[in-house]
Amino acid sequence: MNKNIADRLTRLGVRLDELNRLLSSESATADMENYRKLTREHAEIVPIVELYRSYQQFERDVQTAREMHTDLDMRAFAEAEIQTGKEKLTQIESEIQKQLLPKDPNDERNIFLEIRAGTGGDESALFAGNLFRMYSRYAERQRWQVEIISQSLSEIGGYKEIIAKIIGHGAYSKLKFESGGHRVQRVPATETQGRVHTSTCTVAVMPEADEVSEVVLNPSELRIDTFRASGAGGQHINKTDSAVRVTHLPTGIVVECQDGRSQHKNKAQALSVLAARIQDKQMSAQHAEQAATRKSLVGTGERSERIRTYNFPQGRVTDHRINLTLYKMDQIMDGDIDELCSALIAEHQAELLAASVQE
């Protein structure tokens, strides 16, 4: 085990003993705010320290087995114990490293998912519809809730743009690496000569902002316009100005919401999306600054970069950031994207671990 990691684990063990003393003292609950803070820290440290103590026990077991190795009668048993112990040490060390990785404070949050058609006209809009179905089916598999906030339908199907809120524990942690340019290569239904066309869509995944503290929307910096909403093909024409457009003057960010029949609900939804976009803009600026010194393998914050290609004729999906190609197009388009998401998370964790060891 890396000496820096071992030293850090030793310090955590000392801190856990200190927390145990503090929490068991008679005056522990005198300051309830401090008590809650200590119990949270205790809950975070316990699993890591227990893993490290288990690691130390297996180290002792391996050392004991090595000492037995000189006894001819015990040699076979000792070799088996040494092999088992080494395997356990490798397994526990890997788990410890994951536990020590810095936590993203947004990981457990709900998200706003934005999909926009790019180059490719109608085919791009159809692919935007395919992507939205893919993420919706994935959300169903996770037992998450999907709420459409705003949508602009294409005349032949699909979406020019769609914004949805996905509500579920850990939604951001699973989908945060989906932001970027998604490219599709396939023969459009309107193509008479069977030629493969290339189209693109952009996807943005943003954590829902905390209404209380993270993004403060100053009313004097907002321009709010109301207008009449209309459904696709004239199916529904609102007789009241229930649709809402909110413009954030300092950044120029504009959000429209017209899916709800209530102006009040549309305004609330629009402000929620606006807060998430402002937070995302701030996060992107921070990521860009960090990327100047160390380029991230799993997302530089650039929305325009091509991150994945969906090649329908060959039935393959390739994620260019980690050079992963899967030949399971039908399953992926039906929402089976766990393998993609897990591989991206694993690559990100490996990068964080490498950085932490260097430090």
Side-chain angles (χ1 to χ4, degrees), residues 308-326:
R308 193 175 296 152
T309 295
Y310 304 75
N311 187 301
F312 278 76
Q314 297 177 17
R316 65 174 170 83
V317 176
T318 299
D319 196 290
H320 304 288
R321 296 163 294 180
I322 54 176
N323 295 319
L324 173 65
T325 296
L326 301 174

Side-chain angles (χ1 to χ4, degrees), residues 88-254:
K88 275 290 185 182
L89 286 172
T90 301
Q91 178 185 336
I92 295 172
E93 184 174 1
S94 175
E95 186 58 35
I96 285 173
Q97 289 172 344
K98 289 180 182 177
Q99 290 278 356
L100 286 175
L101 292 176
K103 304 291 190 295
D104 186 331
N106 294 314
D107 271 352
E108 305 309 321
R109 298 198 174 193
N110 304 327
I111 63 168
F112 287 106
L113 171 70
E114 300 187 0
I115 303 173
R116 290 182 176 82
T119 56
D122 290 339
E123 175 63 13
S124 176
L126 289 172
F127 183 53
N130 297 148
L131 287 176
F132 180 65
R133 181 183 183 277
M134 178 182 80
Y135 292 124
S136 297
R137 294 284 289 123
Y138 179 69
E140 287 177 20
R141 292 165 185 257
Q142 303 296 317
R143 303 187 188 283
W144 296 339
Q145 182 181 347
V146 179
E147 292 180 0
I148 294 178
I149 302 297
S150 176
Q151 57 182 323
S152 175
L153 298 170
S154 168
E155 292 179 1
I156 68 166
Y159 303 98
K160 296 175 184 176
E161 173 187 288
I162 182 165
I163 303 173
K165 183 177 180 180
I166 297 181
I167 303 166
H169 184 73
Y172 185 68
S173 68
K174 295 284 184 70
L175 293 175
K176 62 183 173 182
F177 299 122
E178 292 302 300
S179 292
H182 293 243
R183 181 175 70 174
V184 61
Q185 296 171 326
R186 64 183 175 187
V187 179
T190 54
E191 170 59 56
T192 57
Q193 298 182 26
R195 290 174 298 188
V196 174
H197 289 223
T198 298
S199 305
T200 62
C201 288
T202 57
V203 173
V205 175
M206 302 171 294
E208 183 181 22
D210 180 38
E211 293 180 7
V212 177
S213 61
E214 295 198 359
V215 177
V216 178
L217 296 176
N218 187 336
S220 67
E221 297 178 344
L222 302 176
R223 185 175 73 236
I224 300 177
D225 303 308
T226 57
F227 56 98
R228 293 185 181 182
S230 62
Q235 296 171 8
H236 161 65
I237 301 294
N238 229 342
K239 294 183 178 179
T240 60
D241 293 344
S242 63
V244 174
R245 180 187 300 110
V246 180
T247 304
H248 186 241
L249 300 175
T251 61
I253 296 173
V254 180

Side-chain angles (χ1 to χ4, degrees), residues 65-79:
R66 282 179 177 148
E67 292 168 0
M68 293 165 54
H69 196 263
T70 55
D71 187 334
L72 292 177
D73 294 334
M74 300 295 291
R75 181 165 292 178
F77 172 77
E79 287 178 351

